[in-house]
Amino acid sequence: MMSDIIKHATADSFDADVLQADKPVLVDYWAPWCGPCKMIAPILDDVSKEYTDKVQVVKVDVEQFPEVAARFGIRGIPTLMIFNNGQSVATKVGAVDRAGLVNFIEANI
């Protein structure tokens, strides 16, 4: 079951959801067929609840919106990217455990 805390961005909503957000945004570039993406989904869900005041989690399905992935040079998934004030400030490619995700967020927000 998907969390309502996590937003699902489209090509049309990406700028509003991510670049114009009033707090840091963690973007998860993923696809439905991606095993590691499925593996980190519950971790993202969990962390999004814990960090709801500090960071907005946004998911982008790269299969549905390849233009968004292309715009940010996404080549492998899952890719996690943190945006702050409309700028990409950090990128992590590949699956990550809970501790790794928390460290990534803490270091970049």
Side-chain angles (χ1 to χ4, degrees), residues 27-38:
V27 179
D28 171 28
Y29 297 93
W30 71 288
W33 47 261
C34 164
C37 300
K38 288 184 186 137

Side-chain angles (χ1 to χ4, degrees), residues 15-77:
D15 287 13
D17 289 341
V18 177
L19 304 182
Q20 291 148 22
D22 54 5
K23 61 183 170 185
V25 180
L26 172 67
V27 179
D28 171 28
Y29 297 93
W30 71 288
W33 47 261
C34 164
C37 300
K38 288 184 186 137
M39 227 169 63
I40 66 168
I43 300 168
L44 278 168
D45 211 42
D46 192 38
V47 170
S48 70
K49 290 183 188 104
E50 191 177 319
Y51 281 84
T52 189
D53 297 337
K54 294 184 186 172
V55 70
Q56 171 68 55
V57 177
V58 173
K59 292 174 82 82
V60 175
D61 181 336
V62 299
E63 202 158 73
Q64 265 187 302
F65 306 107
E67 64 275 32
V68 178
R71 186 172 156 195
F72 294 98
I74 305 302
R75 289 190 187 83
I77 52 171

